[in-house]
Amino acid sequence: MTYCVGISLKAGLVLVSDSRTNAGTDQVSQYGKMHTLGLEGDRQFVLLSAGNLATTQAVLAEIRHELADNPDCKIAKARYLDEVADHIGEISRQQQSRFSDGEGLNAGFSPRVSFILGGQIQDEAPGIHLIYPEGNHITTSMATPFLQIGETKYGKPILDRILTPDTSLEDATRCALVSMDSTMQSNVSVGPPIEVLIYERDSLRFNRYLRLDDGHSYLRDIRESWSRNIRQAFDALPRFNWEITGPPPGE
Amino acid sequence: MTYCVGISLKAGLVLVSDSRTNAGTDQVSQYGKMHTLGLEGDRQFVLLSAGNLATTQAVLAEIRHELADNPDCKIAKARYLDEVADHIGEISRQQQSRFSDGEGLNAGFSPRVSFILGGQIQDEAPGIHLIYPEGNHITTSMATPFLQIGETKYGKPILDRILTPDTSLEDATRCALVSMDSTMQSNVSVGPPIEVLIYERDSLRFNRYLRLDDGHSYLRDIRESWSRNIRQAFDALPRFNWEITGPPPGE
């Protein structure tokens, strides 16, 4: 599996993804799921991917060929981010349909992929879209400034509790890393290295990229700190009334 | 949906369940998912249920009829908890098969149910079993002293972090309530009242039962406290090195 999260803030975008791919327990390997595209100063995009690896690579190859072969292609010229999401959704549908034969060859096989597209086109606001395997897509809202793909549930509570559109880029990054750490603790199919991309609004270039492998000091620090802090948070919870009732005074 | 968790500790058992049932958004209602059975002083059992409500009720009815009509029935006389789990698994399979017609009437319909069985039979250790819809079952281990059914993922990280076989009954209850609260915050299909059952090892009676509805002061206290403590835990996480770097000294 996979876990990727994209966060859209007033200050910009934060994107975080894991790097574990598996096709059965004896075929676990590392593949980055974060792919950047764009033209510095004009438009920047990043794609996070979850699902079938062959389809993902086919979609990315088609996008890269388009950008290389046709300077006027959709991705290079679209006015709006949702047009780019539409276009990637179409490519994804086509690639999936090439390899799915319904009730055919292999009943357990699924060519499906989901993407998170983040980015900004000059003169437009930055944003994030979740592109479903069906090719349609959704974006964030004020109440829900984040989107997730892959193993989304383990890490959702902390995002729900912390994130608002006013959260700083750094706090949002920490929150995504805690969300990722909780997911890795509870599910072995999600694993390091963790890739982090931070985009400051209107910069039209990717400002910070971190690749945190298992031994990375910051990943270790945040993991140990969170584990300790959560334990303290837990120990500070109110007691039940029967725990408070002690022996009568004077004894 | 549903969320239920059972915890097996050296000190005894803790079982927690929500009460929201839905068959579509216009048919949301309250049904307790915690059902106690047993003979005080000889054996005590509790069943938590997730899945099709009609199947659940049919399984419970059959068990109650057995206990009422036949004092020598399996549940009343089994030597071991896993025999009881086996028997309930068989009843569950039979009830599910009555209502499933494969590719038939209603393709979207599923009669499947899962159960958590907790309890103790005199002269045996207390324990917990997760009974799958297929009728087979698993129990806990030293490394994983808890079992979950229903919407299990949102609330798993906190259980993974806190619970060991040495955890106290009260700490385990608090941990299960935090797990339940995180699940309710992230998924509207899980909701109060929350039922809590605490069983002290070898007591052969259920020692404490709590029913916490939405306005219950302890549920509110633990929710507010956790929300505040988590925020503090988050704010105390280490900074990135570029956040630490301030202006040069002397400025």
Side-chain angles (χ1 to χ4, degrees), chain A residues 93-119:
Chain A
R93 269 182 77 96
Q94 282 164 16
Q95 289 293 348
Q96 290 174 68
S97 68
R98 283 178 59 206
F99 300 109
S100 56
D101 52 0
E103 308 291 300
L105 286 177
N106 185 340
F109 167 79
S110 168
R112 290 163 67 89
V113 284
S114 306
F115 293 97
I116 289 175
L117 168 70

Side-chain angles (χ1 to χ4, degrees), chain B residues 96-116:
Chain B
Q96 289 174 68
S97 67
R98 284 177 59 204
F99 299 110
S100 55
D101 52 359
E103 308 290 301
L105 285 177
N106 185 339
F109 167 79
S110 168
R112 290 163 66 87
V113 284
S114 306
F115 293 97
I116 289 176

Side-chain angles (χ1 to χ4, degrees), chain A residues 7 37 51 61 67 69 87 94 105 122 160 172 189 204 232 245:
Chain A
I7 307 170
L37 307 161
L67 280 168
D69 297 343
H87 184 63
Q94 282 164 16
L105 286 177
Q122 201 172 20
D160 281 328
S189 76
L204 295 173
Q232 285 169 4
T245 317

Side-chain angles (χ1 to χ4, degrees), chain B residues 2-6 13-18 31-38 44-50 55-64 67 75 81 84-92 113-120 127-132 137 149 195 197 206 209:
Chain B
T2 290
Y3 178 43
C4 303
V5 56
L13 309 174
V14 173
L15 298 119
V16 176
S17 60
D18 86 313
Y31 276 95
K33 292 153 195 178
M34 181 177 284
H35 318 277
T36 54
L37 305 162
Q44 287 293 345
F45 308 116
V46 54
L47 266 182
L48 310 181
S49 55
T55 311
T56 304
Q57 292 185 352
V59 171
L60 285 166
E62 189 168 337
I63 292 170
R64 292 196 194 282
L67 280 168
I75 293 170
L81 190 62
V84 178
D86 261 0
H87 184 61
I88 294 172
E90 265 171 52
I91 293 175
S92 173
V113 284
S114 306
F115 293 97
I116 289 176
L117 169 70
Q120 182 170 18
I128 287 181
H129 288 262
L130 192 169
I131 305 169
Y132 293 106
H137 48 93
I149 53 176
E195 292 183 282
L197 197 67
F206 287 112
Y209 169 77

Side-chain angles (χ1 to χ4, degrees), chain A residues 9 13 17 23-24 38 44 47 59 80 84 93 102 113 139 157 206 212:
Chain A
L9 306 158
L13 309 175
S17 60
Q44 287 294 344
L47 266 183
V59 171
Y80 304 106
V84 178
R93 269 182 77 96
V113 284
T139 187
F206 287 113
L212 309 173

Side-chain angles (χ1 to χ4, degrees), chain A residues 151-158 160-162 168 170-175 177-178 181-183 185-187 198 208 210 218 221-223 225-227 229-243, chain B residues 151-158 160-162 168 170-175 177-178 181-183 185-187 198 208 210 218 221-223 225-227 229-243:
Chain A
E151 271 293 350
T152 61
K153 293 186 179 185
Y154 303 106
K156 185 165 180 282
I158 189 68
D160 281 328
R161 285 184 198 274
I162 300 290
S168 73
E170 285 79 13
D171 273 346
T173 306
R174 267 187 284 277
C175 186
L177 287 175
V178 167
D181 183 48
S182 295
T183 306
Q185 303 270 338
S186 289
N187 189 305
I198 301 178
R208 290 192 190 276
L210 308 174
Y218 187 76
D221 286 354
I222 202 172
R223 182 178 285 170
S225 171
W226 184 246
S227 180
N229 299 357
I230 277 283
R231 183 75 226 189
Q232 285 169 4
F234 182 77
D235 290 339
L237 287 176
R239 308 288 105 175
F240 292 102
N241 53 14
W242 71 84
E243 291 177 281
Chain B
E151 270 294 351
T152 62
K153 293 185 178 184
Y154 303 107
K156 186 165 180 283
I158 189 68
D160 281 329
R161 286 185 198 273
I162 300 290
S168 73
E170 285 78 13
D171 273 347
T173 306
R174 268 186 284 277
C175 186
L177 287 174
V178 167
D181 183 48
S182 294
T183 306
Q185 304 270 338
S186 288
N187 188 304
I198 301 179
R208 289 191 192 277
L210 308 175
Y218 187 77
D221 286 355
I222 202 171
R223 181 178 287 167
S225 171
W226 185 247
S227 180
N229 298 357
I230 277 284
R231 183 75 226 190
Q232 284 170 3
F234 182 78
D235 289 340
L237 287 175
R239 310 286 104 176
F240 293 102
N241 54 14
W242 69 85
E243 291 176 283

